[in-house]
Amino acid sequence: MEADNDIQTTPRGFHCKLCDVTIPNKPSLEDHVRGKKHEHLCRLRAKRKSQEENSVFVSGFRAATSRTELEEYFEHFGPVTEVIMDKERGVYAIVEFAEAGGTQSALTQLEHSLHGLKLRVKPRERKEFKLTGRGKHDPKKAQVGMGKLSYELCQAGSVNEQMQKVVETFQLSEGDRKARELLVQLLQEVFSEFLPDCQIIPFGSSVNTFGVHGCDLDLVLDLENTKAFQCRARTSDQTGEDRSEDGRSEDSILSDIDLASASAAELLDLVAAILRKCVPGVHKVQCVSTARLPLVKFNYRPLALQGDITINNRLAVRNTRFLQLCSALDSRVRPLVYTVRFWAKQKQLAGNPFGGGPLLNNYALTLLVVFYLQSVEPPVLPTVEKLRGMACEEEVCVIDGWDCTFPSQPFSVPPSKNTDDLCTLLFGFFRFYSKFDFPSVVVSLRETCALPIADFVGDEEMPDEPEGCVAKLRPSAGPKLGPVTILDPFELQHNVAGNLSERTHRSLRHELTEAEKYCRSLQFQRKSAKGKSWGLVRLFTPHGEAAAAACDAPYRHLEICIPFRAASLPDGHRTDPSEGGDACRTVWFGRLCSVVELVFRDVLKCTPVEGHARLDPSEAGQGATVEEAVEGQSVEGCSPQVSAHAGVKRPLSVDEGPSSSPQGKRQRLDPWAEHPESVHWSWAQTHPVWAGRRKVRKDLLKMSDEASQPEGGSSTLESRVTQHIMEKQANPRDLLEFSVDGTVVGVGESMKAVIKFCPTNDVSGHFQDFFHFLESFLPKMVETMLAKLE
Ligand code: ATP
Ligand code: MG
């Protein structure tokens, strides 16, 4: 039934709404409906439908609630297959049951509550299944989160690796490229119906090897052959011969327009009409006849991308081939271009979102990188003149009178003798341009050096004619000079940075100087041992964002909040915190710190590392273990030895170090001694103690015949779970090191402890998993242990 609803009859045959394709006739329709794609989408739709029916929408829980807590709560209604949390704000979740029964039971229950808060549980909203959704192409998903990128870059071992990571992160995926190719094919088919022998040719970032997710699709509609076709068709009409050699007739559109004499505006209208009427999925078609090269803009809904069509723009196709060649000549070109492009975007130097604008465009920026690579000693890339000399006769290419000759294959060009690594080249790029006197020279990729601007003064391009006309050049015109002049490598009258404002030029110089300064620092070249931002991460600090804020950027999100609970105060202090004031605050935070330390030290068996917040050496060795502190003796009354001096970071001496301490020499708890408002620890973990805990816990409980306990139910049980996991792996290795910083914020009832985490050594990339586990484990464990603390 649903399948019938998918098919619509249209003037051009049929349209399958599910697959978003047009089908010309009934036999093809039958084939389509029986085809793999249609069947796959039907199955997928049925699956999504049942997932929706088996899920509920939950809100009202507190922000720190974990996925596991929700899962445990909803398992009372039926087996839960998945809990999808709203990642950004943690205000809602979708809980999916294995069967519809779970949904019904959950929805039938009138009231739900978790951690004392009332939950709202509603049926999940039904969404119409669309091919154009997430599965196919989601630009939002494609947008790379800066937090994630920073984290990944910090994990890399060198700037070289970071630059490779930038390429991997941003480059067009195979699927992306394929989808673009299919769109080009579709356009080729449609346009050929109306404009025989025309060619749709992609250029720009979709094909020049520097494309990023969601970049626009630049296309040329080449009508040269169509003009010839029209000419032949008209001649044969006049002579009364057969209409054309290949039997095709001049289509109705062609009979309305003379391609040889049509104005740019007329051609654009024609292209726009074909796009609007005949290409399914195209919308927002708009002619821009005032641009230097008039074009038609459009959006293509199924791929959520923006496209541009220019007419007969062969120079652009050729300069795209040139960039492809540069990229193929040396593997350092791509990482350098991607890195510089992203840097420029972050600094708001490049990227005019709507085409025109005062910033550099990506083409101009890429030419700056190529020019620098031609200028280093020894050069990484040859100049355009040198490349011309390496081409053979068949490769000679002249477009609109401009010599665009270069070899078609990279093997015609001898490899570069330059052996600099990427980090050196990037530093070199900033050094080169920070000293570059842009206003007095012209960047020309044809020669080895920048040309004095004085040679060009007097030859300038005429001012643009009024809107609506395409600007014409005087026959002897030179480039339009500006604060930055970058000559196109082929169209030598054209300054590709002619749109740059004086203000952009000033920002460019400023950012180049800043980048050069930063590249000289150790922070750029050396990975931080303390987990601070380094290398490209700081280079990519967005324009206007304080360097200090950017410093912690990759780890900003790695924090866990533990809200204040009066119940966790000792009897004498159990007053309203707004009345108890500072005393209440420090007592609560002190107790919390002790417990947090116990969780890491005794429950999760982490070892303190150098710089760990430390106890006074004179009093070492009198400590309480977790069992003593929490499940037996009171910690109150312990003499004030500090386990967590606020912000204390001093190296351990061998005598002090826990690694050198005898087993019994444990740190003692001192939550109250210094009334800390903040605390710092550094820990190391040698085993993946977060993995498989649930199963180990279950097995241990079975063996000991104890009643079932949820995660975090008992600190003794949890430390046994850890012990068990550690024993299973005989050869521990340095898995990860991390620092933990706690502070108390807020007042009264809204007081909370904010615990921030930062991986300081995470070679094998386990920290994210560990942190993910801590998000649910730590608050629960702390809560349980605080409740037992006397
Ligand atoms: P992106 O689309 O990701 O910004 P891109 O490499 O496609 O990057 P565009 O600025 O869209 O860069 O340019 C696409 C193509 O248009 C270039 O490859 C070049 O052929 C041509 N082009 C762009 N700007 C100019 C210019 N100022 N002068 C000459 N040709 C240009
Ligand atoms: Mg483009």
Side-chain angles (χ1 to χ4, degrees):
M1 207 56 228
E2 208 156 12
D4 293 346
N5 292 337
D6 292 332
I7 310 298
Q8 274 178 331
T9 312
T10 70
R12 300 182 71 213
F14 301 93
H15 181 75
C16 173
K17 284 197 287 180
L18 180 62
C19 308
D20 194 23
V21 289
T22 304
I23 303 133
N25 50 43
K26 233 191 156 102
S28 313
L29 177 64
E30 279 161 17
D31 285 348
H32 171 79
V33 173
R34 279 196 303 267
K36 268 191 186 160
K37 181 180 176 186
H38 189 80
E39 283 195 347
H40 168 73
L41 288 175
C42 285
R43 272 198 305 276
L44 200 61
R45 174 169 57 190
K47 187 175 163 200
R48 293 266 164 86
K49 193 168 167 225
S50 96
Q51 279 174 333
E52 278 172 8
E53 282 169 359
N54 294 355
S55 320
V56 289
F57 180 90
V58 184
S59 58
F61 49 85
R62 66 165 196 236
T65 306
S66 70
R67 187 176 282 138
T68 326
E69 286 170 298
L70 286 171
E71 188 180 329
E72 278 169 5
Y73 175 81
F74 281 96
E75 280 207 323
H76 294 124
F77 304 98
V80 171
T81 49
E82 195 165 10
V83 176
I84 305 161
M85 304 282 288
D86 155 35
K87 258 261 171 266
E88 275 155 38
R89 288 169 299 148
V91 292
Y92 71 81
I94 288 168
V95 178
E96 191 185 316
F97 293 96
E99 295 140 17
T103 321
Q104 276 159 15
S105 320
L107 291 173
T108 324
Q109 180 158 314
L110 292 178
E111 290 217 336
H112 292 268
S113 78
L114 187 61
H115 304 308
L117 288 179
K118 207 169 146 193
L119 296 184
R120 283 180 295 281
V121 180
K122 294 193 299 186
R124 182 174 172 184
E125 193 187 322
R126 304 275 148 87
K127 284 205 179 118
E128 197 196 335
F129 178 86
K130 278 195 194 130
L131 177 62
T132 54
R134 277 185 301 153
K136 240 184 151 190
H137 179 91
D138 182 353
K140 274 196 208 132
K141 192 175 154 204
Q143 260 179 18
V144 183
M146 195 50 208
K148 185 164 178 277
L149 175 67
S150 302
Y151 178 79
E152 286 177 355
L153 292 180
C154 277
Q155 300 304 302
S158 63
V159 172
N160 295 346
E161 260 181 45
Q162 289 188 326
M163 290 174 73
Q164 299 291 3
K165 185 86 212 162
V166 169
V167 178
E168 279 166 36
T169 307
F170 291 107
Q171 70 186 346
L172 282 172
S173 68
E174 196 46 44
D176 238 343
R177 263 200 302 272
K178 269 253 130 13
R180 283 160 192 259
E181 270 171 35
L182 287 174
L183 174 58
V184 174
Q185 261 176 34
L186 171 70
L187 292 170
Q188 179 69 64
E189 276 167 32
V190 174
F191 275 85
S192 299
E193 268 186 46
F194 301 99
L195 301 162
D197 296 343
C198 74
Q199 258 191 295
I200 295 276
I201 312 166
F203 69 103
S205 51
S206 295
V207 286
N208 67 10
T209 76
F210 304 117
V212 300
H213 309 294
C215 67
D216 62 356
L217 174 65
D218 301 297
L219 298 168
V220 163
L221 171 63
D222 192 323
L223 290 173
E224 285 310 308
N225 293 338
T226 316
K227 268 188 214 164
F229 172 88
Q230 187 177 48
C231 199
R232 281 198 308 274
R234 290 194 168 170
T235 320
S236 53
D237 263 359
Q238 279 160 12
T239 55
E241 289 168 24
D242 276 351
R243 312 201 100 196
S244 78
E245 304 143 20
D246 53 13
R248 289 171 299 174
S249 65
E250 196 187 5
D251 191 88
S252 56
I253 287 193
L254 279 189
S255 57
D256 292 342
I257 188 167
D258 175 22
L259 294 179
S261 61
S263 69
E266 282 170 326
L267 289 176
L268 292 185
D269 283 344
L270 176 67
V271 171
I274 297 175
L275 278 175
R276 275 194 201 105
K277 293 189 185 144
C278 309
V279 189
V282 162
H283 68 131
K284 292 197 180 159
V285 178
Q286 190 196 351
C287 295
V288 186
S289 48
T290 51
R292 191 180 76 92
L293 291 173
L295 68 145
V296 180
K297 284 183 174 296
F298 66 92
N299 281 11
Y300 184 61
R301 209 177 265 129
L303 298 182
L305 63 74
Q306 207 219 307
D308 289 346
I309 300 187
T310 42
I311 296 165
N312 297 338
N313 186 4
R314 289 184 164 190
L315 277 167
V317 177
R318 192 66 187 160
N319 67 38
T320 298
R321 298 274 171 277
F322 168 70
L323 293 184
Q324 282 169 346
L325 176 70
C326 292
S327 168
L329 285 179
D330 196 292
S331 61
R332 292 167 290 182
V333 176
R334 282 185 84 216
L336 205 58
V337 169
Y338 273 91
T339 306
V340 170
R341 278 189 176 202
F342 191 62
W343 164 81
K345 184 170 170 245
Q346 292 296 91
K347 302 296 176 191
Q348 292 178 16
L349 298 169
N352 298 298
F354 306 107
L359 305 182
L360 280 164
N361 67 24
N362 277 327
Y363 178 58
L365 206 52
T366 312
L367 294 185
L368 278 183
V369 177
V370 172
F371 180 70
Y372 158 70
L373 292 175
Q374 294 173 334
S375 311
V376 283
E377 254 325 305
V380 174
L381 292 174
T383 61
V384 178
E385 276 306 317
K386 286 213 172 108
L387 284 172
R388 191 170 68 100
M390 294 169 196
C392 62
E393 229 174 277
E394 291 75 48
E395 288 163 337
V396 169
C397 171
V398 177
I399 297 172
D400 298 343
W402 301 110
D403 190 344
C404 305
T405 305
F406 51 81
S408 53
Q409 297 298 334
F411 52 72
S412 310
V413 183
S416 160
K417 293 196 174 64
N418 184 305
T419 54
D420 289 343
D421 67 356
L422 286 171
C423 177
T424 312
L425 288 175
L426 182 66
F427 182 10
F429 173 87
F430 292 121
R431 199 176 37 221
F432 179 78
Y433 284 115
S434 61
K435 296 187 175 54
F436 201 82
D437 188 6
F438 280 108
S440 44
V441 288
V442 169
V443 173
S444 165
L445 280 71
R446 293 202 82 94
E447 289 82 9
T448 346
C449 58
L451 308 169
I453 205 144
D455 295 357
F456 292 82
V457 176
D459 288 348
E460 283 178 62
E461 188 182 326
M462 294 266 280
D464 285 358
E465 287 172 30
E467 267 196 22
C469 302
V470 181
K472 297 273 186 289
L473 297 174
R474 277 187 275 156
S476 62
K480 175 183 168 191
L481 304 177
V484 175
T485 307
I486 306 168
L487 276 196
D488 186 273
F490 308 107
E491 194 186 353
L492 300 177
Q493 279 174 332
H494 177 53
N495 173 11
V496 303
N499 59 316
L500 240 67
S501 64
E502 184 47 52
R503 190 169 165 189
T504 308
H505 165 237
R506 274 201 307 273
S507 312
L508 176 68
R509 292 183 62 143
H510 169 75
E511 294 296 353
L512 285 166
T513 311
E514 289 298 304
E516 193 262 344
K517 251 195 271 168
Y518 170 60
C519 286
R520 272 191 268 139
S521 72
L522 275 182
Q523 276 162 346
F524 172 67
Q525 292 167 23
R526 227 186 264 163
K527 180 171 179 163
S528 159
K530 294 186 178 158
K532 292 260 164 63
S533 301
W534 68 283
L536 296 187
V537 180
R538 284 188 173 206
L539 193 69
F540 291 161
T541 305
H543 170 80
E545 220 174 80
C551 240
D552 294 330
Y555 309 119
R556 256 202 308 244
H557 53 294
L558 300 180
E559 58 182 46
I560 295 173
C561 292
I562 303 181
F564 165 79
R565 271 182 205 292
S568 47
L569 286 173
D571 283 345
H573 290 83
R574 229 168 258 180
T575 51
D576 179 345
S578 48
E579 288 165 23
D582 279 355
C584 169
R585 180 185 175 95
T586 46
V587 169
W588 175 73
F589 185 63
R591 285 168 76 88
L592 182 119
C593 288
S594 325
V595 164
V596 168
E597 180 164 317
L598 282 169
V599 173
F600 284 107
R601 195 189 68 190
D602 288 358
V603 177
L604 296 175
K605 315 233 178 268
C606 299
T607 32
V609 290
E610 197 175 311
H612 183 79
R614 287 288 302 143
L615 65 167
D616 186 331
S618 62
E619 297 182 287
Q622 309 164 25
T625 65
V626 62
E627 293 82 9
E628 289 161 358
V630 173
E631 282 167 356
Q633 306 160 22
S634 157
V635 291
E636 230 168 348
C638 289
S639 55
Q641 294 127 11
V642 178
S643 65
H645 279 299
V648 172
K649 288 187 199 177
R650 66 184 174 82
L652 292 177
S653 73
V654 176
D655 291 345
E656 295 169 72
S659 51
S660 66
S661 310
Q663 244 331 51
K665 214 174 177 187
R666 308 298 295 267
Q667 296 173 29
R668 286 192 65 174
L669 304 171
D670 176 30
W672 301 283
E674 305 240 325
H675 304 299
E677 289 267 309
S678 68
V679 58
H680 171 88
W681 297 273
S682 296
W683 300 102
Q685 179 53 265
T686 48
H687 292 77
V689 294
W690 57 90
R693 289 189 79 88
R694 193 185 292 204
K695 178 157 188 324
V696 175
R697 190 181 303 121
K698 229 167 152 182
D699 292 347
L700 285 176
L701 285 170
K702 239 190 252 162
M703 279 192 296
S704 64
D705 268 354
E706 286 173 44
S708 155
Q709 292 234 27
E711 182 181 70
S714 144
S715 53
T716 321
L717 173 63
E718 291 304 324
S719 37
R720 277 168 55 209
V721 171
T722 308
Q723 189 66 38
H724 200 83
I725 295 174
M726 292 174 97
E727 279 164 8
K728 267 202 287 190
Q729 195 185 338
N731 300 318
R733 57 203 167 92
D734 287 343
L735 200 59
L736 53 93
E737 286 180 13
F738 56 100
S739 65
V740 181
D741 285 278
T743 40
V744 56
V745 297
V747 284
E749 287 291 348
S750 62
M751 187 159 73
K752 62 180 176 185
V754 179
I755 316 228
K756 291 187 180 170
F757 295 80
C758 182
T760 47
N761 187 0
D762 183 22
V763 183
S764 42
H766 282 98
F767 189 77
Q768 282 284 7
D769 290 342
F770 182 45
F771 176 75
H772 189 61
F773 153 76
L774 286 177
E775 277 182 296
S776 76
F777 183 83
L778 187 66
K780 267 191 287 184
M781 202 69 242
V782 166
E783 211 174 288
T784 313
M785 289 168 75
L786 277 175
K788 289 185 183 170
L789 208 62
E790 286 167 22

